[in-house]
Amino acid sequence: MIADFQDWARSRQVCIETSLQTLLPTANIAPERLHEAMRYAVLGGGKRVRPLLAFAAGELSGASEERVTIVAAAVELIHAYSLVHDDLPCMDDDVLRRGKPTCHVEYDEATALLVGDSLQSLAFQLLAEYRLADTPQVQLEMIKRLAQAAGSRGMSGGQAIDLANVGKTLSLPELEFMHIHKTGALIRAAVMLGARCGSSLNEAQLESLDHFAKHIGLAFQVVDDVLDAEATTATLGKTAGKDAEHNKPTYVSILGTSRARELAEELRRDAYQALEGFDATAERLRQVTDFIIQREF
């Protein structure tokens, strides 16, 4: 089963990488430097966790791989844009991402800002350009879902809360509120958009799936916090220990490493429980859940 998942994950990672290479503007199209920087920021790195979740949810709902590939690419473009902006000196001021210099270091701050803007715009262009759902109404709901996940009530809002609380002590509910927005919103969108590419799920099942995605989004952040505290820069591909260095509230700073690990396992069980009403078609989601919890632990 583990080997089967690894083969499936690798095939989907290759699929999304190939698609992104095609969907991104080529570096010989004007403005060449901007397009080169966009490709630098997106291609050749990352585990593509959000696309894997989209593909797994698409299998659950009987979606075509062609539809899910576009959705997965759009979500990954939003994620890549957020990383480029997060790394800027006015945000987290980091110099390493996915094992190579961050976009503003490799190019410059102005170019990095425009890269993020352009990747976000391209994501929504893809959702509008391709037929991704059985009805226009569902596709409009998908576009709305991604917009909310990326905006002030999602990822951007979570980043604002994060920046406002550097050096402060948060309660566990306050920390969860921040990460439901900063990290969890886009992960939930990846799951739900992948599922909406198909047509076999009813509203109750979609609600259960969203409940699953909420738990796995939080679990992803818990694991991230543990890795930042314990893993090396070489392992992470980004600067390790940045959270502690900048005195950011994390699951590790609030709970300690051991309790944070326990919380990740609790969230895994909650995510599994949310999938209990589904048959074997949910197995890929369970496997991606394990992959998220166990990555480099």
Side-chain angles (χ1 to χ4, degrees):
M1 185 63 72
I2 293 175
D4 171 64
F5 171 73
Q6 291 174 339
D7 290 342
W8 175 85
R10 277 194 294 268
S11 71
R12 295 308 181 274
Q13 288 163 339
V14 170
C15 175
I16 194 63
E17 187 76 14
T18 302
S19 298
L20 288 167
Q21 288 174 349
T22 301
L23 295 168
L24 284 160
T26 58
N28 62 351
I29 297 176
E32 291 88 347
R33 181 176 169 80
L34 175 59
H35 290 152
E36 178 187 304
M38 289 168 66
R39 297 178 74 85
Y40 176 87
V42 175
L43 299 175
K47 295 181 176 65
R48 310 300 190 196
V49 170
R50 291 155 191 81
L52 290 178
L53 284 166
F55 281 118
E59 288 194 11
L60 183 65
S61 68
S64 71
E65 185 172 298
E66 291 76 16
R67 285 183 177 182
V68 180
T69 299
I70 297 299
V71 161
V75 172
E76 190 67 6
L77 290 172
I78 294 290
H79 177 55
Y81 123 69
S82 75
L83 298 181
V84 171
H85 280 192
D86 283 357
D87 289 334
L88 286 169
C90 62
M91 294 285 189
D92 291 345
D93 192 15
D94 216 331
V95 298
L96 189 68
R97 175 69 67 178
R98 292 175 172 172
K100 61 185 183 181
T102 49
C103 191
H104 71 275
V105 171
E106 183 71 15
Y107 293 88
D108 53 70
E109 289 183 37
T111 298
L113 182 68
L114 293 173
V115 163
D117 293 344
S118 300
L119 293 177
Q120 180 177 206
S121 298
L122 179 57
F124 288 102
Q125 178 184 331
L126 295 179
L127 291 190
E129 189 172 345
Y130 293 84
R131 181 173 180 179
L132 304 174
D134 291 344
T135 69
Q137 181 182 0
V138 171
Q139 188 150 342
L140 283 172
E141 290 173 359
M142 293 164 67
I143 295 171
K144 178 182 176 182
R145 179 81 188 224
L146 186 60
Q148 288 178 329
S152 63
R153 290 185 289 173
M155 183 179 66
S156 293
Q159 176 72 353
I161 296 169
D162 190 11
L163 291 170
N165 285 285
V166 172
K168 297 181 181 179
T169 300
L170 297 183
S171 67
L172 185 58
E174 289 172 332
L175 188 67
E176 287 186 349
F177 179 81
M178 178 173 79
H179 287 305
I180 283 171
H181 292 75
K182 182 181 177 182
T183 304
L186 192 58
I187 286 176
R188 290 170 78 177
V191 173
M192 299 310 293
L193 265 64
R196 295 311 296 264
C197 288
S199 57
S200 65
L201 302 183
N202 58 41
E203 288 302 315
Q205 289 173 316
L206 288 170
E207 186 175 342
S208 294
L209 193 59
D210 188 50
H211 196 56
F212 157 83
K214 178 180 178 181
H215 289 304
I216 201 59
L218 286 174
F220 184 97
Q221 186 60 52
V222 175
V223 173
D224 232 35
D225 286 355
V226 173
L227 290 175
D228 185 80
E230 293 195 336
T232 64
T233 295
T235 299
L236 293 177
K238 59 182 180 180
T239 307
K242 289 280 288 186
D243 292 338
E245 180 184 340
H246 290 277
N247 199 19
K248 283 191 171 187
T250 68
Y251 286 99
V252 171
S253 68
I254 291 176
L255 300 175
T257 302
S258 178
R259 176 65 188 119
R261 287 174 179 268
E262 291 174 0
L263 177 58
E265 290 297 333
E266 291 170 11
L267 289 166
R268 171 165 36 186
R269 289 193 293 271
D270 291 339
Y272 265 54
Q273 187 174 5
L275 296 176
E276 284 181 352
F278 296 101
D279 58 19
T281 55
E283 186 59 26
R284 290 298 184 205
L285 283 172
R286 297 184 185 96
Q287 291 172 338
V288 179
T289 297
D290 293 341
F291 174 68
I292 288 171
I293 299 297
Q294 295 168 353
R295 70 191 199 279
E296 303 293 344
F297 243 30

